Structures are given as structure tokens and as C-alpha cells.
Amino acid sequence: MKQSHQISMKPFNSFAVEASADTYVEINHWYELDELDAAQSADAPLLCLGEGSNVLFVDDYPGTVLRIRNQGISVVDEDDEQLVLRVAAGESWHQLVTWSVNHDLWGLENLALIPGSVGAAPIQNIGAYGVELAHCLQSVQVFDRQQSCWLRMSLDEADLSYRDSLFKRDQDQRYLISEVCFCLSKRPEPVLTYPGLIDYLQRHSDREAGREYSSFEIAEAVSAIRRSKLPDPSQLPNAGSFFKNPQVRAAQYHGLKEQYPNIPGFAVDSHDDPYPSEEDSLIKLSAGWLIEQAGWKGHRLGDAGVAPGHALVMVNHGSASGRDIWSLAQAIQSDVHSRFGVSLQPEPRIIGA
Ligand code: FAD
Ligand code: EPU
């Protein structure tokens, strides 16, 4: 276990904002979590960080920042149809996707090029291009700091939904994820529902008529689309979408549509109420559209800004502090609310606000 004090978090967050942690601990093996547990009380402030691509430090962290950097991908079960993989939390997400498509497996290809670690993927049920992690997550191994014991949680217990899970709601960092198990298919299971993905594949591949796309080709297409839309954090520091896409009742959506005929909206399956009345059904709005219509796209206040190419991405043009970015985000939230009556919720974890 590597431990140090008063460490800058700037290299460990994709917004590249300055913040220091009282104590910084790095572990390379899951069993070191037991040692950490012995050294820490369960209610001591602890923040588990993966690659820092979905956090915003608004202040210094007055506790321990822990990075779990264990490695390893192993096959734990297999038949003719599918394969169960156990993957260490510290593995890179995109490298896992690359490993899976190179082995001709199906399930992770639409989630290519999402930054971050495997251990963080269940936290907000990462999703992109028509697929969410819940689609192929089997179970999660966690250390429960409150009970001081190891648990294996099933998909149901982890309670995943759009950009949410039991873990994301756990602000006290009760659970530390050490391993994630995925169930991947050996048979082709392409998901090409996202507008733009099938178009891209048709325009860019010279396949013979009738041949299926491979999971590798789909991952490549998703990566190319992502590179064309989102700023690269190593060039323009950011955390991807800063707000979740808001969900509103159909009645509110119809009211907005009368005023703004071009407003995009997508029907959402409601798990709480599978048979809602028409007016009660949920519609997902596009936060990027609302922010762009309100005039914030490309806006800059000092070094804190909104990406010129994508209104949902807040960026650090150089030396913005977390507080600068958070103040601008709050101004956007309040403007969007006053114009459209819609509340935007941040997607990254805001630390210290
Ligand atoms: P961190 O930012 O380090 O942590 C995020 C949260 O997870 C924190 O609350 C942290 O405490 C917790 N956490 C991390 N590891 C553990 C662990 N082992 N145990 C317990 N808690 C833990 N997300 C999407 O869903 N879809 C996208 O398409 C997408 N695109 C992105 C594009 C860009 C350019 C960027 C910068 C981000 C994007 N994101 C996207 C957000 C981000 O990549 C994901 O949320 C990712 O899973 C975060 O991984 P991380 O290791 O960086 O987590
Ligand atoms: N739009 C605008 N202006 C903009 C950007 C977007 O009007 O500047 C509107 C357009 O109508 C566009 C629509 O928003 O068609 C959707 O845009 P996009 O396809 O880029 O997707 P998104 O809703 O902005 C979501 C996720 C992304 C994910 C993509 C692809 C959320 C909060 N974001 O973005 O996830 O990669 O879809 O599936 O759900 C992330 O979570 O960090 C993230 C990047």
C-alpha cells in the first residue's frame, strides 16, 4: 500500500483542476483493502477514485483519496453461447472493450472509448450509443466498509438505471468495488438503434452485401463518432456530459413542444410504473439542446467554459478552478430552469460543493 500526504489531485482528474487531498493511498491488490479497513474507521471521509473522468473537485478533499489499481481479466465460466469474465476494478475500461472485441465477443462494443476504470463503470451504469452497462453486467464484488466484509452483489442488488445505481447514491463511500463480472455473448448481438451509428457503418465499411458487422467494426465506428463529437480531455480538459439528460412528464413535454416545435424528446420505459397514462409517461429531453438554445454553447467565463462543439460538455481552458466550473454550471442550471422549467442534474460527482 502506497500512502502520502497533501497530494495534488490535478493529475488524477480529467478536468485538470487543482485540489489537494489530505491523504492519498494507492493499492494494487484487492486484499490490501482489508489493511486499509484496519487503518480507517468506516465513517472517516474516504473518496475512491478511478481515473477521475467523472468528478469535479470544487474544494480540497479533507480525507483519504483511495485509488484501487488492481489488474487482471480472467474467464470464470464458458459455454457455446456465452462467457463470464471477471475483471479487476483498476483495469482500463476501453482496454477491456478492446480485449472483448479482439476475442470476437459481444456486449461491450457500443461502450468503446468511454474513459475511466472498470471499477467505476457500474457507479453510473455507463451508457452510450444505445447500450448501458446493465445489458451485460453480471455481478460486482465490493468491500462493505460499514459491515467490514466482502459482498458479491447481483445486477438486481446494484439497482442500475440511467446514469444511476445504488453506488452512485452512496455518498459516504460505503462500498468499494474491487472486481466486476460481465456476461458476454459469443453470438452476434449487434445493437444499431442509435441514430447515426448504422449510417456511419454503411458509409465507412466496404463489406459484401449480407455480411454482419463484427463487434470490432462497431467499436471502431463508435470510437470514430465519439472522436468527432467530444473534446479529448488531454487537449481540452472535461468530464464528458456535465448534466444528465432530464426526464419530464409527457404533459410538460407537449407544452414545451408547442413553444419549441423542434425540441427533441424520446419516450422512456418506466420501471416504477410500467403502464403509465399517456400524460404521465416519461420523455427524455436533450440537455445539450436546452443549453444550446439558451445561448451557452461555446460560452466562456475566464477559463471555465462550455465546449464550442457540444453544449453538454463543460471544459477547462487552462487554469479554471473547480469552483469556477461549478459556478458556471450553476448559472446554466438556473437559466435553463427559468426558460424551460426543466431542472438539470449534474452527472459527475461534485466533491466539496
Ligand atoms: P472516477 O471519475 O474516478 O469516479 C467516478 C465515481 O465513481 C466517483 O463517485 C468515485 O468515487 C466512484 N468510484 C470510482 N471507482 C470506484 C470503485 N472502485 N469503487 C467505488 N466507487 C468508485 N460516461 C458515460 O456513461 N457514457 C459516456 O459516453 C461517457 N463519455 C465520456 C466522455 C468523456 C470525454 C469523459 C471525460 C467522460 C465520459 N463519461 C461517460 C464519464 C466517465 O467516463 C464514466 O463515468 C467513467 O465510468 C468514470 O470512470 P473513472 O474511473 O474515471 O471514475
Ligand atoms: N444537441 C444540441 N446541441 C449540442 C449537443 C447536442 O442540440 O451542442 C442535441 C442534438 O439534438 C443531438 C442530441 O442533443 O441530436 C443528442 O446529442 P448526442 O448524440 O451528442 O448525445 P447526448 O444526449 O448529448 C448522451 C450521453 C453521452 C453519450 C451519448 C451517446 C448523457 C448525459 N450523455 O449525450 O454520454 O456518449 O449520448 O450515446 O446521457 C457522458 O455521460 O459523459 C456522455 C458523454
Side-chain angles (χ1 to χ4, degrees):
M1 185 173 357
K2 192 174 125 192
Q3 181 162 335
S4 31
H5 296 282
Q6 297 307 329
I7 293 298
S8 167
M9 293 291 104
K10 191 168 177 176
F12 304 137
N13 74 94
S14 65
F15 265 124
V17 297
E18 194 52 85
S20 83
D22 267 9
T23 305
Y24 173 72
V25 176
E26 226 177 73
I27 62 169
N28 293 313
H29 303 284
W30 58 264
Y31 51 77
E32 290 176 278
L33 284 173
D34 286 325
E35 286 174 45
L36 178 83
D37 181 51
Q40 277 243 329
S41 79
D43 48 10
L46 182 98
L47 168 69
C48 185
L49 208 57
E51 293 179 17
S53 65
N54 215 24
V55 292
L56 176 65
F57 283 97
V58 169
D59 220 332
D60 292 336
Y61 189 69
T64 300
V65 169
L66 164 70
R67 288 181 80 216
I68 304 176
R69 310 210 63 203
N70 56 340
Q71 300 286 298
I73 302 179
S74 50
V75 176
V76 291
D77 200 3
E78 186 172 4
D79 63 20
D80 291 346
E81 305 271 315
Q82 57 190 30
L83 178 143
V84 178
L85 275 188
R86 181 194 293 151
V87 187
E91 287 282 348
S92 140
W93 176 261
H94 180 65
Q95 277 172 25
L96 170 65
V97 175
T98 305
W99 186 95
S100 74
V101 299
N102 283 339
H103 285 79
D104 216 5
L105 294 166
W106 290 81
L108 303 183
E109 58 282 358
N110 294 49
L111 303 176
L113 215 64
I114 297 181
S117 57
V118 166
I123 305 291
Q124 69 160 7
N125 181 26
I126 55 169
Y129 296 92
V131 171
E132 288 184 336
L133 184 79
H135 176 70
C136 53
L137 182 96
Q138 197 206 48
S139 63
V140 181
Q141 177 166 301
V142 301
F143 185 76
D144 178 347
R145 294 173 68 222
Q146 211 172 73
Q147 307 288 335
S148 202
C149 65
W150 289 93
L151 301 171
R152 183 160 288 282
M153 280 192 189
S154 66
L155 174 62
D156 278 354
E157 287 166 317
D159 196 20
L160 307 189
S161 58
Y162 169 65
R163 296 298 189 269
D164 196 33
S165 70
L166 168 80
F167 311 115
K168 190 152 179 177
R169 296 188 292 272
D170 157 34
Q171 289 294 310
D172 297 330
Q173 201 77 68
R174 171 173 175 181
Y175 300 110
L176 304 174
I177 296 179
S178 62
E179 281 177 0
V180 185
C181 286
F182 302 92
C183 186
L184 304 182
S185 175
K186 292 183 174 178
R187 302 204 186 277
E189 286 184 357
V191 179
L192 302 174
T193 48
Y194 197 89
L197 181 53
I198 187 76
D199 294 354
Y200 184 95
L201 282 161
Q202 284 168 350
R203 278 188 283 115
H204 290 85
S205 74
D206 50 353
R207 69 188 189 121
E208 310 134 33
R211 185 171 73 78
E212 297 287 342
Y213 294 107
S214 65
S215 55
F216 179 88
E217 284 171 295
I218 295 173
E220 290 281 293
V222 165
S223 300
I225 298 171
R226 294 181 68 92
R227 284 194 194 95
S228 73
K229 281 192 178 187
L230 295 169
D232 176 350
S234 68
Q235 308 296 318
L236 187 56
N238 73 84
S241 301
F242 194 86
F243 298 104
K244 298 184 196 182
N245 283 326
Q247 301 183 3
V248 299
R249 301 265 167 226
Q252 185 178 0
Y253 174 66
H254 294 314
L256 284 165
K257 191 129 182 100
E258 273 177 28
Q259 256 185 300
Y260 308 98
N262 298 328
I263 187 170
F266 309 91
V268 177
D269 295 335
S270 169
H271 300 292
D272 298 339
D273 178 4
Y275 304 108
S277 69
E278 213 202 325
E279 290 302 271
D280 276 348
S281 63
L282 288 175
I283 304 287
K284 193 187 271 184
L285 303 179
S286 159
W289 187 91
L290 297 169
I291 296 168
E292 178 168 354
Q293 296 306 305
W296 292 96
K297 190 168 178 172
H299 183 87
R300 186 169 170 168
L301 197 63
D303 273 349
V306 177
H310 202 300
L312 197 44
V313 180
M314 309 276 309
V315 295
N316 178 3
H317 285 284
S319 54
S321 65
R323 200 162 283 281
D324 296 335
I325 294 169
W326 183 228
S327 301
L328 180 58
Q330 287 177 304
I332 294 172
Q333 270 178 321
S334 112
D335 188 35
V336 165
H337 190 264
S338 64
R339 285 171 194 261
F340 304 104
V342 175
S343 296
L344 295 181
Q345 300 305 322
E347 181 194 286
R349 176 156 173 193
I350 311 296
I351 299 157

